[in-house]
């Protein structure tokens, strides 16, 4: 985890999940950064970033189906 992510991280919940606030810039760049984290990452907000990640993974699923 990067230093900036560690600074934005809260405490882990009872199942070990940690919410992290990041400043990732433009939506396509931010979505790409989130996707690099793999299946363990989930975008909780903002809604536009969550939608951008959903579009990306839907496109990948269609390509590899």
């Amino acid at each position: 985890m990067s230093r900036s992510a560690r600074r934005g991280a809260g405490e882990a919940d009872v199942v070990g999940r940690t919410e992290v606030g990041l400043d990732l810039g433009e939506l396509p760049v931010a979505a790409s950064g989130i996707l690099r984290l793999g299946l363990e990452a989930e975008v909780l907000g903002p809604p536009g970033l969550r939608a951008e990640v959903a579009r990306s993974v839907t496109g990948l699923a269609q390509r590899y189906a």
Side-chain angles (χ1 to χ4, degrees):
M1 184 184 303
S2 73
R3 276 180 261 162
S4 64
R6 274 186 242 123
R7 284 192 302 269
E11 294 295 319
D13 66 12
V14 295
V15 293
R17 294 179 299 204
T18 303
E19 283 191 34
V20 178
L22 300 172
D23 182 13
L24 297 172
E26 298 295 322
L27 287 180
V29 174
S32 178
I34 295 296
L35 291 171
R36 277 191 230 116
L37 298 173
L39 296 175
E40 299 301 316
E42 178 183 0
V43 176
L44 302 177
L49 178 55
R50 190 171 169 94
E52 184 71 26
V53 170
R55 276 190 292 280
S56 295
V57 297
T58 298
L60 285 169
Q62 290 171 347
R63 178 174 293 166
Y64 290 100

